[in-house]
Amino acid sequence: MLSSILTTSLLIGAALATQSSPTVVCVAGQCLEGYTNTTIGATLSASGAATSLLLLPGQYTSSTNPALLHDLLTSSSASLSLSPGFDGNTSLPLNLALQPGVAVYPQANYSGQATFAELPSKPSNSTSKISPGSLALASNVWVAISGSSSDRVIFWDSVPDVSQLPSGAAGLSQLLDIQSSACSPPCAGAGVCSASGTCTCPPGFNGTSCETCAPGFFGPTCQACPADCATCDDGMTGTGRCLQPAIKNAPSTCNCLNGVCNSDGTCTCNAGWTAGTNGTACAKCATGFFLNSDGNCEVCGLGCTQCADGNGECISCKSGFTQDANDRTQCFASQSTTSTGTVCPDGSFSNGTACEPCSPLCQTCSGPSSSDCIICGAGKYSLNGNCVGTDGNGVCSGSSLVADNNKHECDTCPSKCTTCKYSSFSVASTIDQVQCTGCLPGFVLSQGKCVESCPSGTFLNPQDNVTCTACDSSCSTCAGSSTFCLTCANNQLASDGKCVASCPSNTFSSSGQCISCHPDCATCSGSSFNQCSSCPADRPVLTNGRCLPTCSKSQYFDKTSSSCQSCDASCSSCSGAGPSNCLACSSSSQVLRGGTCVSASCNGTSSVISGLGICLSDLVVVPPPSGTSSKSPLPSITGIDTPISSSPSSNTTVVKRPLQWWEILLMALGCAFIFVLFLMCWRRRMRKRRAAATANFAAAKRLDHSKSWRYRLVRFGERLFGHKKGQRWMMPPPEQEDIRLEKLRAAEEARYDRDLEKLQDPRRESSLRHDREMEKLIGSYEYTRAGSSRAPSPLPSLRDYDGDRHSYKASSKGSGSSDRARELATNDLVAQESLYSQVTGQPRRAPEPRLPVRNPRDLLPSRFSNTTTYSSWLTPEPAAPPVQPVYSAPTPAQEYARSVSQTPQPESPPQRGAYWLQPANTGGSRNPFLR
């Protein structure tokens, strides 16, 4: 720390000594007047301005403070003087930033004349010597510089003072590499990452990361294949050996198939070929030739002027010739006879009267000249109607055709041959022994035949680029020479043209060959750039099979483990482990001192400049007040620390920028949230108001049982068995229940009337009436409350007459008050709800318990017979048509009912049913049912 303080003091003293005139240095939001040697950024000046300003890297707009900076930025006469590596103009907003690359300053605090090294457009192995006092790096750029220990030190951030770096990064001397970190995935070793995030490939390279060679290029540096080679052993691992030479004067260049192109663009056809019907030269067989199975035009048999393709059968013969019946490919000459019928022997012909000798060149003839030969003599062969001789190779004189001893003609060379010969010609030689000596362009000569490519075990002789030559015995395949093996025999491996037992380093075995690794790898398992097993020194980081030149920004490469390790939390980038190996600080309030990040302690209101890693007060030395320093006092400049709003000369125009899509989305979501919150609050308020109204109603009706033990027991049961309050079944009010009962009674009566109308049998009708009366009687004792599970009785509720009935029972029996209490209790048990409904406030979900009722027909006649009902005596039972109705004597109960019904009741209640009986006060019960 002491050394750092001394160094800072020396720097301040040097600055005061070298800077004679004060300068105003500005960043966005603050300007400071003093003495400085800093040259980074740009100098802003304007005509009429009090002073020029040194702008440090940053973004400046029309609203940037202070007023002095604002006035010069918005001045119409403003001009910029840029330091090396910076680019920009005076148009606002002004983004003053270093171009992709690194600026090297000879002194600390970005002082002195800078040297700028831009991001290269292609990889370069050259290095440049430097002696930096400070380094300024563009964003997304890293540089590799060698130190005193010959180790590569990777810098990601600007360094204001190289002397404050850790000891492992001291002695920086050579700039090794400059790369951009914008590419993902990183470029291969041959590619250069541009500032836009794409890999720029040198000529010959291909791929998104420049990891492969383009077609026609080979080797680690992707060199071009030889110029006279159409196909070579290309690729990143190729040898560049020519596999197929370039074809000169190919027949296709002059619209020719079976011929050689001339310099004037015409085509010279092979013998037997002529132009096709479509205009293509040398595309079909000429007259007197046929196309054989090898695709070559072969001469027709002797005496045949036209023959068929394929088998060569003669289509037409010459005059004087007849087609052979046994061999249809041949035509034989008719025998020459005289007028006397004498047959002329071979070697003579008939002149009409006698036989004359043929020409010495003819074996048989039709006239005296050599052109009249039918079959040429020994050693002579027919060619265009003449007999010609051959040379020692069997080639007919004056042509490129060869002798055919079977046809006695000159025939064409084999397919695709331009010239041919017999290796040893004699009269016993056959046409199959002919061997090619020259081929059409695009074909090679292999074992006397013209083929498209050399067969396995041979290579194309580079001396003539036509002849296929056998490889050496040690090679299975070879290229360029007989000893340069591509694959080897005896289970050996071919490595760089030689056969070895095992592959050397930096190669891998594949298909009998030792193939070189990708240039990015030291050792590998395949030829791709992501199949590395170990890495070279210039790309030491092995990640997912790839060798990379550096770790990420917040990591360093540990040589011991050969892996990337994280930097200390205080470091933005580092060269080793711990807080003392920082190359830049992660906190904006710290600066680098001896490899350690410490508090900046900037003077005054200045702070650490973003991207430079130094306080503004450390760049500008402000002398003490006048009288205590040898320096003259600083001139007073208006607006150097005045905001724009308080400056009289400010004329700021606020430019409203359009809203971004995410800002609009956030505002819409906020409005929706506020609306939903309002709905929830309103709903909650309405619920409270309804609850308060319900509570007031319950209090007025004395229905509030929430404080009783029974209510608390019910609520506990609901919570215990999962019953929700929202599921409580509310009983309808009595008015609605009465309306519902009336509707049910009317529907039941209508159904009963329809059933009566359908019946034709009086007995069944009487039986139906009886059953209906009994149902009404039994149903009158059902529960008529809303909680009853059975359908309500169509009769009115018995609760309205409980008092009358029980008073009548009491008076008839003459029981006391205790009997009266028991009767009332019994009536309550019948009329009231069940215990479950009383406790829970809900109806039963199962049928109400009731006593079983026997069939009325099975009961005693004295109580439930048909004659005991009011309807039985009120309306006589209809009898069958032929039978006269028989009326039995009325029972005492019927007499009592009739007497009661005839008794006037002035204050009787409204009629409730055909069989409802009103009791009469007779001073003593005469009801036989109560006896």
Side-chain angles (χ1 to χ4, degrees), residues 26 38-43 54-60 80-89 94-105 110-118 135-139 158 609-612:
C26 295
T38 299
T39 58
I40 190 172
T43 301
L54 176 62
L55 300 184
L56 298 180
Q59 189 171 19
Y60 301 87
L80 280 176
S81 177
L82 301 168
S83 62
F86 286 86
D87 186 19
N89 50 50
L94 170 62
N95 186 19
L96 188 60
L98 191 67
Q99 298 302 301
V102 57
V104 181
Y105 293 86
Y110 311 105
S111 302
Q113 184 63 33
T115 301
F116 180 71
E118 65 178 354
L135 299 171
L137 271 72
S139 59
S158 299
I609 304 171
S610 177
L612 297 183

Side-chain angles (χ1 to χ4, degrees), residues 741-816:
L741 294 177
E742 291 295 337
K743 291 182 178 180
L744 291 176
R745 291 191 189 101
E748 189 171 356
E749 291 293 341
R751 181 178 60 82
Y752 173 69
D753 294 339
R754 288 195 301 270
D755 292 342
L756 287 179
E757 293 176 357
K758 293 179 181 179
L759 294 178
Q760 300 297 332
D761 188 357
R763 292 184 178 181
R764 294 187 62 187
E765 182 177 354
S766 175
S767 176
L768 180 60
R769 290 180 183 274
H770 175 264
D771 293 342
R772 177 61 178 167
E773 299 292 343
M774 294 307 299
E775 286 179 0
K776 288 183 179 181
L777 179 62
I778 296 173
S780 63
Y781 289 95
E782 281 292 321
Y783 295 113
T784 59
R785 292 181 179 270
S788 178
S789 61
R790 294 191 58 184
S793 172
L795 297 176
S797 175
L798 297 178
R799 288 179 292 174
D800 298 338
Y801 301 93
D802 283 346
D804 295 339
R805 184 173 71 251
H806 289 290
S807 62
Y808 177 76
K809 290 180 180 180
S811 61
S812 62
K813 286 190 175 184
S815 59

Side-chain angles (χ1 to χ4, degrees), residues 404-685:
D404 187 344
N405 290 320
N406 184 33
K407 293 181 179 180
H408 301 282
E409 293 181 289
C410 293
D411 209 345
T412 56
C413 292
S415 178
K416 308 303 179 184
C417 295
T418 55
T419 58
C420 58
K421 66 177 184 178
Y422 287 94
S423 59
S424 178
F425 179 68
S426 66
V427 294
S429 298
T430 61
I431 194 66
D432 296 335
Q433 298 174 351
V434 176
Q435 293 185 345
C436 297
T437 56
C439 298
L440 291 176
F443 292 85
V444 294
L445 190 60
S446 175
Q447 296 180 355
K449 295 182 179 180
C450 292
V451 295
E452 293 183 355
S453 61
C454 291
S456 178
T458 62
F459 71 99
L460 187 63
N461 194 330
Q463 295 179 357
D464 59 5
N465 286 333
V466 174
T467 308
C468 294
T469 307
C471 296
D472 188 77
S473 60
S474 61
C475 303
S476 296
T477 58
C478 59
S481 69
S482 60
T483 57
F484 190 89
C485 298
L486 297 179
T487 58
C488 298
N490 301 324
N491 294 326
Q492 287 191 312
L493 301 173
S495 175
D496 197 19
K498 298 180 180 179
C499 294
V500 296
S502 61
C503 291
S505 179
N506 197 31
T507 62
F508 68 97
S509 175
S510 176
S511 301
Q513 293 178 298
C514 294
I515 301 176
S516 299
C517 293
H518 193 276
D520 288 358
C521 308
T523 59
C524 61
S525 59
S527 60
S528 177
F529 75 132
N530 57 1
Q531 292 179 303
C532 300
S533 300
S534 62
C535 300
D538 60 338
R539 304 180 71 86
V541 181
L542 181 63
T543 302
N544 297 327
R546 287 199 59 185
C547 290
L548 304 178
T550 179
C551 301
S552 62
K553 182 177 180 180
S554 59
Q555 294 179 325
Y556 70 94
F557 181 71
D558 184 14
K559 291 185 177 180
T560 304
S561 61
S562 297
S563 62
C564 294
Q565 302 294 331
S566 298
C567 295
D568 187 77
S570 62
C571 305
S572 173
S573 57
C574 62
S575 60
S580 60
N581 286 306
C582 294
L583 300 177
C585 298
S586 58
S587 175
S588 59
S589 62
Q590 291 183 323
V591 293
L592 191 66
R593 294 289 183 266
T596 303
C597 292
V598 298
S599 178
S601 301
C602 300
N603 296 332
T605 59
S606 65
S607 59
V608 178
I609 304 171
S610 177
L612 297 183
I614 190 172
C615 297
L616 180 61
S617 58
D618 291 340
L619 293 179
V620 182
V621 178
V622 181
S626 178
T628 61
S629 174
S630 60
K631 292 288 182 179
S632 59
L634 297 176
S636 177
I637 301 176
T638 304
I640 194 171
D641 55 0
T642 306
I644 298 175
S645 57
S646 60
S647 174
S649 61
S650 63
N651 187 18
T652 304
T653 301
V654 178
V655 180
K656 295 184 178 180
R657 65 176 180 85
L659 294 176
Q660 301 293 327
W661 66 268
W662 57 269
E663 295 174 330
I664 299 175
L665 179 61
L666 287 179
M667 288 190 293
L669 292 177
C671 294
F673 175 75
I674 294 173
F675 179 72
V676 172
L677 187 63
F678 171 77
L679 289 181
M680 294 175 62
C681 294
W682 179 81
R683 186 168 179 264
R684 184 175 180 182
R685 183 171 179 270

Side-chain angles (χ1 to χ4, degrees), residues 684-699:
R684 184 175 180 182
R685 183 171 179 270
M686 291 297 102
R687 283 184 175 180
K688 288 184 177 181
R689 291 182 63 181
R690 286 196 298 270
T694 303
N696 295 335
F697 175 79

